[in-house]
Amino acid sequence: MTGRMGRAAAVCAALGVLWWATVRLAWAGVGCEDWGCLIPAVGMVVVISLALFAGAALALERVDVRPGRRVALAATGALVAFRLAGEALPSWSSQMADAVAAGAAFAGAGVVAAFVTETGVARRWKVTAAVVLVALAPVALALSLARSGL
């Protein structure tokens, strides 16, 4: 199981850095400063994200993390939870830190996905992982509010 989780983490981390780089290029390619560009820019991010999701399913299958589609779907759900929780973190100006954070978030999502899709894991652990993921957003919101003094 740890080998499967490690392979999923490696693939997802690489895809996370690739996602970060392509999204940065897409935003730079749009290159406008007004709200009229928001819809095409967000549309490109959605297309890039969906293409990476499809690529993740294939890449995961290739490294024997099966079923790739189910693992990629679970990783996407975990990544959404991580992204919502990440809003409470302070921002930084370093592009390298951004790339590392994207890779780490995607790797963490890959580990969670490999764990919850493993057939040998007891149902209670899968439910516990799902509850923790769902609880990340309210906990992050509470921490953010506490940090801002509200």
Side-chain angles (χ1 to χ4, degrees):
M1 177 170 63
T2 57
R4 182 175 190 263
M5 289 169 51
R7 290 189 306 273
V11 166
C12 290
L15 289 173
V17 174
L18 178 64
W19 177 86
W20 173 83
T22 54
V23 166
R24 294 222 10 116
L25 286 173
W27 279 106
V30 170
C32 67
E33 301 294 327
D34 62 357
W35 286 99
C37 296
L38 186 61
I39 292 174
V42 171
M44 280 193 296
V45 170
V46 168
V47 168
I48 290 167
S49 300
L50 289 175
L52 232 52
F53 168 70
L58 295 172
L60 288 166
E61 287 279 340
R62 197 97 164 121
V63 296
D64 279 341
V65 180
R66 292 191 172 94
R69 279 184 277 184
R70 197 170 76 173
V71 175
L73 186 59
T76 301
L79 192 58
V80 168
F82 291 162
R83 178 67 181 126
L84 289 173
E87 288 297 318
L89 297 174
S91 61
W92 44 74
S93 59
S94 169
Q95 291 182 9
M96 184 57 85
D98 255 352
V100 169
F106 273 72
V111 168
V112 169
F115 177 76
V116 298
T117 58
E118 178 68 39
T119 57
V121 175
R123 184 172 181 87
R124 70 178 175 273
W125 291 112
K126 293 178 183 185
V127 170
T128 302
V131 168
V132 168
L133 284 175
V134 169
L136 280 177
V139 168
L141 178 63
L143 288 174
S144 182
L145 289 173
R147 190 176 64 217
S148 67
L150 294 177

